[in-house]
Amino acid sequence: MTTNKSTNKTTNNNPNEIPLMFQAQVQGRGQIQYIGNPDRVDRWVDEWVEGAKNQIPKFINRENNRKFQKREYKITWRFVSNSGQDEDIIRPVIATGGFPYYPGASMKGAFLRSCSSQQAKDYCGSQISSKETKPGILRFHGGYPKDDSWREQPLVDVVHPQQDWQIKEQAKHSAFIQISLYQPTLVFGISSRIELDQTQWEIIWKIWESALEKGLGCRVSAGYGHSRKHSETKLLFVGLRGQGLA
């Protein structure tokens, strides 16, 4: 404990009182990956939720604005956008105010993979030469949770990678912790440099819904980040043939 002479206020310098989010990710400090110490994970999540502002971010969509639209989509199971900021834990990207956020750059990448070549040039831009690019007409603003319900749902998720055990024939395997949102409704925003009529906007949102079908964020192959609304259902048919005990 020290006293600031200019303000006569007492300051707590105990490093253990610093929120885990801001501690070094090393064992004995902010390291929360060890499954044997769930209390630290709960503390990390509690500090995050408590510190996040109460007012949910909202896209401002002015009436009759043909240059901006927003739509909301329900995620079927869990959703995680890995921030990559902590070495040993997967946790969501956190924006200003402490809110979980799906970045606009990630949104553009997912959108681009669902475009035709001409749509990609028109909407997302193209490379004209080694020194010159042509911008597309769209800007992607990412997505926020629709409301505060993300705070009330379980955020701590246990994942158990199997590749070393099943493929690499390694006997050692462990459970790990990640922090993800449970069935959030996300609101996504897209704007255009030029005015677009509703027919053009419907084409754009149809492309985005096609991107959503493939999943957003991390671990999409395990069911994470898939939306409840699908423009069409895609099924994969496979045939298996075995012999004897195989």
Side-chain angles (χ1 to χ4, degrees):
M1 304 286 288
T2 60
T3 301
N4 188 324
K5 295 181 180 179
S6 62
T7 60
N8 291 324
K9 291 183 178 180
T10 301
T11 303
N12 189 346
N13 290 332
N14 183 355
N16 293 324
E17 297 301 321
I18 299 173
L20 291 177
M21 182 183 294
F22 302 106
Q23 291 188 23
Q25 295 297 308
V26 295
Q27 188 172 0
R29 293 294 302 280
Q31 233 287 3
I32 60 177
Q33 187 52 266
Y34 294 108
I35 195 72
N37 192 0
D39 292 341
R40 293 181 70 79
V41 180
D42 292 336
R43 176 186 162 189
W44 194 101
V45 170
D46 290 343
E47 290 171 345
W48 169 36
V49 173
E50 181 181 359
K53 291 183 178 179
N54 293 325
Q55 185 176 0
I56 290 292
K58 295 184 182 298
F59 295 116
I60 299 176
N61 188 9
R62 295 182 177 86
E63 188 177 0
N64 298 325
N65 186 350
R66 294 187 177 184
K67 291 186 177 182
F68 178 84
Q69 283 199 3
K70 62 180 181 180
R71 290 194 183 182
E72 61 185 57
Y73 295 90
K74 176 78 171 180
I75 301 300
T76 305
W77 186 37
R78 302 192 75 98
F79 170 78
V80 59
S81 54
N82 187 12
S83 68
Q85 294 183 350
D86 299 304
E87 180 180 357
D88 294 314
I89 188 167
I90 295 177
R91 54 95 165 167
V93 177
I94 299 176
T96 302
F99 297 99
Y101 171 60
Y102 183 68
S106 299
M107 184 179 181
K108 181 179 180 179
F111 184 92
L112 184 60
R113 288 190 293 273
S114 296
C115 288
S116 66
S117 58
Q118 188 58 49
Q119 288 172 335
K121 292 179 182 178
D122 294 340
Y123 295 143
C124 301
S126 59
Q127 187 84 24
I128 298 176
S129 66
S130 60
K131 296 183 179 181
E132 186 178 4
T133 59
K134 180 182 179 181
I137 65 171
L138 297 183
R139 299 292 180 268
F140 299 88
H141 301 276
Y144 284 101
K146 177 185 177 181
D147 51 38
D148 269 332
S149 61
W150 68 272
R151 302 170 183 262
E152 303 164 2
Q153 301 297 331
L155 297 170
V156 178
D157 188 17
V158 178
V159 292
H160 194 173
Q162 295 288 308
Q163 60 269 23
D164 288 343
W165 176 258
Q166 295 182 355
I167 300 175
K168 300 180 182 180
E169 298 182 355
Q170 301 291 326
K172 185 178 180 179
H173 57 104
S174 301
F176 297 94
I177 289 174
Q178 72 177 12
I179 299 173
S180 57
L181 307 185
Y182 180 72
Q183 294 186 348
T185 297
L186 301 178
V187 182
F188 298 96
I190 303 176
S191 65
S192 171
R193 291 191 293 108
I194 61 176
E195 289 192 357
L196 302 174
D197 59 34
Q198 190 56 36
T199 301
Q200 293 171 302
W201 277 114
E202 288 300 328
I203 294 174
I204 291 169
W205 286 113
K206 186 175 179 62
I207 295 172
W208 177 239
E209 289 171 8
S210 177
L212 283 172
E213 290 181 2
K214 302 171 185 177
L216 298 180
C218 303
R219 298 178 56 80
V220 296
S221 61
Y224 287 75
H226 288 270
S227 67
R228 181 161 293 176
K229 181 176 180 180
H230 296 276
S231 58
E232 59 181 287
T233 300
K234 293 181 172 62
L235 298 177
L236 173 66
F237 295 92
V238 297
L240 299 177
R241 182 176 62 182
Q243 180 178 356
L245 294 178

